[in-house]
Amino acid sequence: MTYRQRKALRIAGWVFLSIFLLGCIGAGIAYSKRESLLQTALDRAIRKAKRDYNLNVRIDSARFTGLSSLAFSNISVVPDNRDSLARIQRVEISVRFWPLLVGKVGLSGMTLENGLVQVIKRDSLTNIDFLLRRKRDSTATTSSRKTDLSNVAENLIDNILSKIPDDLNISNLEFRGMDNKDTLNLLTETATIKNENVTSTLKLNGNQAIWHIAGTADPANREYNLALYADGKPLELPYIQKRFNLKLQADTVRAQLNDVDRSGGEFRLEGAGSVRNLRINHPAIARTDVLVPQASMDMHMFVGENYVGIDSSSVLKLGEVSARPFLKYTLKPVKIYEAQLHTDQMDAQALFNSFPQGLFESLEGMQVAGKLKYDMSFQLDTSLPDSVQFNSGLTPDGFKILKMEQTDFAEINHPFVYTPYEKDKPVRDIVVGPENPDYTPLEQISPDLRNALLTSEDYNFFTHNGFNEKAFRVSIATNFKEKSFKRGASTISMQLVKNVFLNRNKTLSRKVEEILIVWLIENEHIVSKERMYEVYLNIIEWGRNIYGIGEAARYYFSKSPSNLNLGESIFLAFVVPRPKRALDWFLPDGTLQARNVRGYFRLIGRIMARRGLTAPDSGAYGFYDVRLREGLRRQIAPVDSLFPSDSLMIDPIDGIDDNDEGTGIGNFFRRLFKGNKTDKENQTDEQPNAQLTPTEPIPGQQAPTDTVKTRKQLRQERRERKRREKEERRQQEEANNNLNE
């Protein structure tokens, strides 16, 4: 070693020694004045809480109890003019030394005795309004900043996990929630973490239930495996059932955190969760309790700069089967929703055994054989909703039904009794078979009626397998753009299954069950397409207490179904979405009103003509040939002569593709009726067929004295007519767009 090198080492040594000595001197001074420094820091924090949040924070005493431990007593936090937020009698904390060197605070120990944290709502005010107000106030200042979601997620998780101590001892910490009517109390009698073992006892609403959290926790390595269970009864929060009418119970809920990492610009979190004997009951889900014996998920979550999601390496398990989900939500520059669900080939019986009990009542006990594979993909770019992608398919391999238990889907191949319902009450029994004189075989029904209804409701019925994915995609796009449910995608197969085999409760489970039954019937060819359409035409509602084409043809036109002409057929297709309004479209002389109806005739008639189902007609395809039978005309009240003229006079189908599938036409006309109801149960909310009171005299008649209107009333009517005309023009434009697809 040269002289210069030795000299450089000596100088460096003295520099480091000097820095070390200065650090020691500074540390000694800080240690000697640490109590005053602590008080200064607390005073600053208390002033900030008051200035920024209107919080009154009080600490009776604060002192050091060791090199890196602090003790506080009699802490209270009270928002201005609100109920107390928190009170703690005593708390002692100790921090990890090494994280402090990089500016992070991590707890190594905590002892807390006799505390209360409460959220109270009185009328529209709560004692946490300061948080909500602060969040709103900060929105304007942060909206223009570029936020990296991965950094936000990492900081949030880091702040939470770093505050979980290696050693924890809590006694008598109560959490209380109160609103205007209800109170929820959760008392933590004891909660400890010692040598990575977690034990706790929590009392819900006094002694209503005793819960426990047990398992292992390694805060230093950020690994947790915890289970929540109750003594002698399932886990349950009565407050949820009372507030949301949701019954939610479980024997055991388990959560696991395996890894928290940052890689490739993404924040990643790996964990797992499971539940045993989950019981759910809500009117929107199912009409009875739904029991899930075992469900779990191994989840790999990722957060990027502008997106968040669940990776396809995650595994979702339900009973005996498993699937690989993928979810992604992109926030910027435009919102994009993506979802996928895939399974490997799975034993078909294992899938049916895994259906939650009480969810699909008609499928319970069914015995099947073979393999099944499910694939679903979905993507919606909110800036281009019409380009939505949706594909879903259940692929069979040697699948067959061995035994039907609860419901025999082949029942409709033979005469059977069908019972329509109104407001959950049976209307009457209808024999679907030759014993019923109004029953009409398919070949004895006018081809015009069969073709008109197919054109309106489900033109591809005889070629699809029960579902129309294009209709699903159009439905998703339309409902997204309208921000409400405006358009459905039900096929005739789905409508038939819903009416014949399922209960009348409008639940999520019933819709999924409907799809499964349609798949079974279509895939296994349990019922032929011709028989399905024949039954459909003989049971659907065509008026108030008018079911089936036989009753409808006789009721409206005093004809048999075989003698219906084109105009009568198109009219009957027109009223299917809202059958109880059928008579509203007639004039007292038995002819049809031009309003809306004539445009429908031209629309359906020209589509049928382009498909070779009827001869081209320069007129209105039988509109002027429709005559209501004489006996019904006396029920038709005079109409307002100032009602707007037909808004569909303009040809709505220019440019229609001859190969157009015709999907969604029926749904457009449901929107025309301000609804989307197609089956009997959906008519229960309609009022009895109203007798229209004339508000303007029919030309040539003198207005009755009790119908004279004020100028204000006339102005209101004119505004209402303009509003209706505008709405009808908008609906016409939608129809043109739908048909041009």
Side-chain angles (χ1 to χ4, degrees):
M1 181 179 294
T2 65
Y3 171 77
R4 290 184 177 181
Q5 290 175 330
R6 289 196 296 271
K7 184 177 181 180
L9 286 176
R10 285 197 298 271
I11 293 173
W14 283 109
V15 170
F16 284 124
L17 180 60
S18 300
I19 293 174
F20 176 74
L21 291 175
L22 289 174
C24 291
I25 293 171
I29 295 174
Y31 183 81
S32 64
K33 296 182 176 293
R34 60 178 182 166
E35 297 291 346
S36 61
L37 292 174
L38 173 62
Q39 192 60 50
T40 300
L42 290 176
D43 291 341
R44 186 182 302 114
I46 291 172
R47 288 195 300 271
K48 179 178 175 60
K50 180 65 175 179
R51 181 184 66 249
D52 294 347
Y53 298 100
N54 292 322
L55 289 177
N56 300 295
V57 180
R58 178 181 175 183
I59 303 175
D60 279 1
S61 68
R63 59 188 177 84
F64 281 92
T65 58
L67 182 62
S68 60
S69 59
L70 295 166
F72 304 89
S73 62
N74 296 327
I75 304 171
S76 66
V77 181
V78 183
D80 282 350
N81 303 316
R82 297 290 190 274
D83 294 281
S84 296
L85 180 63
R87 296 195 305 269
I88 299 175
Q89 183 178 1
R90 177 179 173 271
V91 61
E92 183 174 345
I93 60 174
S94 56
V95 298
R96 301 187 183 101
F97 177 75
W98 294 112
L100 284 176
L101 298 180
V102 293
K104 293 184 178 181
V105 177
L107 300 184
S108 61
M110 172 186 286
T111 299
L112 188 150
E113 297 175 356
N114 303 327
L116 170 65
V117 178
Q118 61 181 4
V119 177
I120 298 179
K121 179 180 180 181
R122 301 187 188 276
D123 295 325
S124 61
L125 302 177
T126 73
N127 61 344
I128 58 170
D129 285 338
F130 67 93
L131 290 175
L132 305 177
R133 183 174 61 252
R134 180 72 176 180
K135 182 178 180 180
R136 288 194 297 267
D137 293 342
S138 63
T139 301
T141 59
T142 60
S143 58
S144 60
R145 300 175 185 172
K146 185 177 180 181
T147 303
D148 188 328
L149 293 181
S150 63
N151 290 335
V152 173
E154 183 178 20
N155 292 334
L156 176 63
I157 297 299
D158 182 72
N159 284 331
I160 292 174
L161 296 181
S162 63
K163 302 306 183 290
I164 301 176
D166 298 314
D167 294 304
L168 175 69
N169 189 355
I170 295 178
S171 59
N172 297 324
L173 174 61
E174 181 181 0
F175 297 92
R176 180 186 302 165
M178 298 176 60
D179 61 14
N180 298 321
K181 297 180 180 180
D182 302 301
T183 300
L184 177 67
N185 287 289
L186 186 65
L187 174 63
T188 304
E189 280 195 336
T190 61
T192 62
I193 300 177
K194 189 174 182 62
N195 297 326
E196 299 185 3
N197 292 316
V198 178
T199 59
S200 66
T201 299
L202 304 91
K203 289 187 175 180
L204 177 66
N205 293 335
N207 289 319
Q208 188 179 77
I210 299 177
W211 293 359
H212 299 282
I213 297 177
T216 60
D218 184 359
N221 294 316
R222 300 185 172 186
E223 295 179 356
Y224 299 86
N225 190 345
L226 303 173
L228 174 65
Y229 61 94
D231 282 346
K233 58 175 15 176
L235 294 164
E236 182 180 16
L237 277 176
Y239 175 80
I240 294 179
Q241 184 166 3
K242 183 177 180 180
R243 181 69 183 273
F244 304 105
N245 196 23
L246 171 64
K247 177 181 178 181
L248 196 61
Q249 296 180 340
D251 286 357
T252 305
V253 177
R254 186 174 293 276
Q256 187 174 342
L257 178 63
N258 299 326
D259 188 27
V260 176
D261 188 23
R262 188 177 184 91
S263 174
E266 288 184 342
F267 173 72
R268 291 185 168 269
L269 185 150
E270 296 183 8
S274 65
V275 62
R276 186 166 61 86
N277 289 333
L278 174 66
R279 301 170 188 86
I280 305 174
N281 190 314
H282 189 276
I285 299 175
R287 68 187 185 96
T288 60
D289 283 4
V290 175
L291 173 62
V292 182
Q294 186 70 39
S296 64
M297 183 174 182
D298 294 328
M299 183 180 70
H300 296 174
M301 182 178 178
F302 60 87
V303 183
E305 179 182 356
N306 61 342
Y307 57 86
V308 59
I310 296 176
D311 192 76
S312 58
S313 58
S314 304
V315 178
L316 178 65
K317 296 180 180 179
L318 179 65
E320 303 174 31
V321 298
S322 62
R324 301 181 304 279
F326 172 82
L327 297 172
K328 185 178 180 181
Y329 173 43
T330 303
L331 284 79
K332 295 179 293 186
V334 296
K335 292 182 179 179
I336 300 176
Y337 303 90
E338 299 174 72
Q340 295 182 23
L341 185 67
H342 302 282
T343 71
D344 297 325
Q345 273 202 344
M346 51 189 168
D347 181 75
Q349 189 62 59
L351 174 63
F352 279 71
N353 292 342
S354 300
F355 289 150
Q357 299 174 24
L359 193 63
F360 309 134
E361 297 179 41
S362 63
L363 302 179
E364 291 184 0
M366 180 176 288
Q367 297 180 18
V368 296
K371 303 288 185 180
L372 291 171
K373 182 178 184 295
Y374 180 71
D375 295 282
M376 184 277 292
S377 62
F378 167 80
Q379 184 183 56
L380 174 62
D381 184 334
T382 57
S383 64
L384 299 169
D386 291 323
S387 65
V388 61
Q389 300 177 27
F390 177 77
N391 295 284
S392 175
L394 189 61
T395 305
D397 182 7
F399 176 84
K400 60 181 178 180
I401 298 175
L402 302 178
K403 180 182 179 183
M404 301 184 196
E405 188 71 22
Q406 297 292 333
T407 305
D408 183 1
F409 303 131
E411 173 191 11
I412 62 174
N413 284 323
H414 313 285
F416 67 98
V417 177
Y418 168 66
T419 306
Y421 280 73
E422 291 278 0
K423 298 180 180 179
D424 297 327
K425 295 182 180 179
V427 177
R428 58 187 170 96
D429 290 340
I430 299 172
V431 176
V432 184
E435 295 181 18
N436 182 353
D438 290 313
Y439 174 78
T440 310
L442 187 63
E443 65 273 9
Q444 296 179 23
I445 299 175
S446 166
D448 286 335
L449 185 282
R450 303 199 306 259
N451 292 331
L453 193 57
L454 283 175
T455 301
S456 174
E457 292 293 309
D458 185 5
Y459 181 70
N460 291 319
F461 170 70
F462 282 98
T463 57
H464 64 53
N465 61 353
F467 311 99
N468 193 316
E469 288 191 353
K470 178 182 177 182
F472 272 98
R473 290 191 288 269
V474 174
S475 174
I476 293 169
T478 301
N479 295 332
F480 176 81
K481 289 185 289 187
E482 295 290 339
K483 306 302 180 185
S484 63
F485 186 80
K486 295 290 186 180
R487 180 170 185 165
S490 290
T491 61
I492 285 177
S493 305
M494 297 168 71
Q495 295 178 44
L496 179 67
V497 165
K498 175 170 54 180
N499 283 279
V500 174
F501 295 115
L502 299 177
N503 62 63
R504 273 67 191 173
N505 301 93
K506 299 178 183 180
T507 61
L508 176 63
S509 64
R510 193 197 68 173
K511 191 64 180 178
V512 178
E513 187 174 11
E514 172 189 317
I515 293 172
L516 289 171
I517 295 174
V518 168
W519 186 88
L520 290 170
I521 291 176
E522 294 271 4
N523 182 76
E524 292 295 286
H525 307 291
I526 296 173
V527 183
S528 70
K529 288 283 191 178
E530 289 75 13
R531 176 60 179 173
M532 292 174 70
Y533 195 35
E534 179 177 289
V535 172
Y536 176 79
L537 291 173
N538 277 277
I539 67 170
I540 62 172
E541 185 179 13
W542 254 299
R544 196 166 300 280
N545 199 20
I546 305 299
Y547 295 92
I549 187 58
E551 293 183 12
R554 188 179 72 254
Y555 178 75
Y556 292 110
F557 308 117
S558 294
K559 289 185 176 183
S560 66
S562 62
N563 294 325
L564 293 171
N565 61 34
L566 178 62
E568 293 161 345
S569 298
I570 294 179
F571 170 76
L572 289 174
F574 174 72
V575 301
V576 165
R578 284 291 180 93
K580 290 181 174 61
R581 291 191 56 189
L583 294 179
D584 296 348
W585 303 105
F586 285 99
L587 296 171
D589 64 355
T591 61
L592 286 170
Q593 302 177 30
R595 167 173 53 97
N596 295 330
V597 184
R598 182 167 50 194
Y600 180 94
F601 272 65
R602 289 181 172 177
L603 176 65
I604 297 300
R606 292 181 186 180
I607 295 173
M608 291 174 63
R610 294 193 181 193
R611 292 167 177 164
L613 302 177
T614 190
D617 183 356
S618 59
Y621 291 89
F623 172 82
Y624 298 103
D625 298 331
V626 179
R627 291 292 184 275
L628 186 66
R629 71 177 173 89
E630 187 74 30
L632 284 180
R633 297 179 190 179
R634 66 177 64 96
Q635 300 183 27
I636 309 301
V639 297
D640 185 356
S641 63
L642 294 182
F643 203 94
S645 60
D646 186 5
S647 65
L648 297 179
M649 288 290 289
I650 302 174
D651 184 3
I653 58 172
D654 287 342
I656 187 171
D657 187 345
D658 290 340
N659 296 322
D660 175 50
E661 297 181 7
T663 58
I665 298 174
N667 291 306
F668 158 65
F669 290 103
R670 293 187 188 96
R671 294 202 304 276
L672 185 68
F673 286 106
K674 305 293 190 294
N676 188 34
K677 304 184 180 184
T678 60
D679 64 296
K680 61 186 182 316
E681 70 172 20
N682 288 343
Q683 316 305 324
T684 60
D685 59 343
E686 295 192 21
Q687 299 300 320
N689 200 26
Q691 296 298 312
L692 301 177
T693 302
T695 57
E696 291 290 339
I698 297 175
Q701 292 183 349
Q702 183 178 359
T705 57
D706 61 347
T707 62
V708 176
K709 298 182 179 180
T710 65
R711 291 183 178 180
K712 181 178 180 181
Q713 290 173 318
L714 293 173
R715 286 197 301 269
Q716 291 174 340
E717 287 185 357
R718 284 195 293 270
R719 285 195 295 268
E720 178 63 19
R721 285 196 296 271
K722 290 180 181 179
R723 186 193 65 78
R724 287 196 296 259
E725 289 174 341
K726 182 178 180 181
E727 178 67 14
E728 288 168 352
R729 285 194 298 270
R730 183 184 66 80
Q731 292 169 347
Q732 176 188 334
E733 292 173 357
E734 290 183 359
N736 295 340
N737 294 334
N738 293 337
L739 292 171
N740 287 330
E741 291 173 356

